[in-house]
Amino acid sequence: MAIQRTFSIIKPDATRRNLTGAINARLEAAGLRIVAQKRIFLTGEQAGVFYAVHKDRPFYEELCAFMSSAPIVVQVLEGEDAIAKNREVMGATNPADAAEGTIRKEFALSVGENSVHGSDGPETAAAEIAYFFSGLELVG
Ligand code: GDP
């Protein structure tokens, strides 16, 4: 498997509880390299654009309000098979279903406030990275 890049977010429930370092340690221990990172505060509108794929879901408004309720940390992760590897270390969407040792099992509060986001495929990874980072910010 080739070296890939994926997009990651440390969500408001985690930044509020000062878990950025703890989550980054999990990512790095899994073999993922944080090649770009910044702390930002999304507007509701920006969150809505990012999660537009979910706009018809009943939780969309709640999700956008949550994602714009506190700062988030947006990241680009690099490594062998990085997209799948990150999904594995994140764990299932609902922490009740997440495997032992995953970030969501340990830190997530609920299916909505689940601490991290990770791209689900190469096309979404490329689009999500481009939404938040310029080429100049991807320093490797
Ligand atoms: P992910 O790829 O594991 O993050 O999951 P999805 O793409 O299915 O959902 C995107 C995000 O929407 C999740 O990470 C949650 O923050 C949120 N979400 C998903 N399902 C629900 C739900 O049933 N209720 C609420 N409040 N939020 C949800």
Side-chain angles (χ1 to χ4, degrees), residues 3-140:
I3 298 289
Q4 282 182 329
R5 282 181 173 174
T6 190
F7 176 72
S8 165
I9 302 178
I10 300 176
K11 294 185 178 184
D13 66 283
T15 62
R16 269 195 197 101
R17 289 176 290 151
N18 214 21
L19 292 172
T20 299
I23 290 173
N24 280 347
R26 297 302 190 92
L27 298 173
E28 291 182 341
L32 294 162
R33 178 175 291 274
I34 302 164
V35 297
Q37 174 171 258
K38 57 189 174 187
R39 185 173 171 102
I40 61 174
F41 204 142
L42 287 184
T43 64
E45 190 174 52
Q46 289 166 336
V49 171
F50 180 71
Y51 278 118
V53 66
H54 293 306
K55 68 179 181 325
D56 297 325
R57 308 281 287 277
F59 57 81
Y60 179 66
E61 296 297 331
E62 189 183 327
L63 176 60
C64 294
F66 164 58
M67 291 300 290
S68 56
S69 67
I72 61 172
V73 176
V74 292
Q75 308 175 307
V76 180
L77 309 178
E78 186 177 271
E80 284 271 322
D81 205 11
I83 296 169
K85 191 174 280 180
N86 185 41
R87 297 288 301 186
E88 194 181 324
V89 72
M90 286 165 60
T93 308
N94 187 338
D97 303 327
E100 287 298 332
T102 62
I103 291 170
R104 284 169 165 169
K105 177 71 177 184
E106 179 155 352
F107 299 120
L109 299 177
S110 66
V111 65
E113 300 203 10
N114 59 4
S115 302
V116 283
H117 165 86
S119 306
D120 60 6
E123 291 78 18
T124 45
E128 290 174 356
I129 290 169
Y131 187 55
F132 287 101
F133 290 95
S134 76
L136 283 174
E137 293 175 299
L138 301 172
V139 295

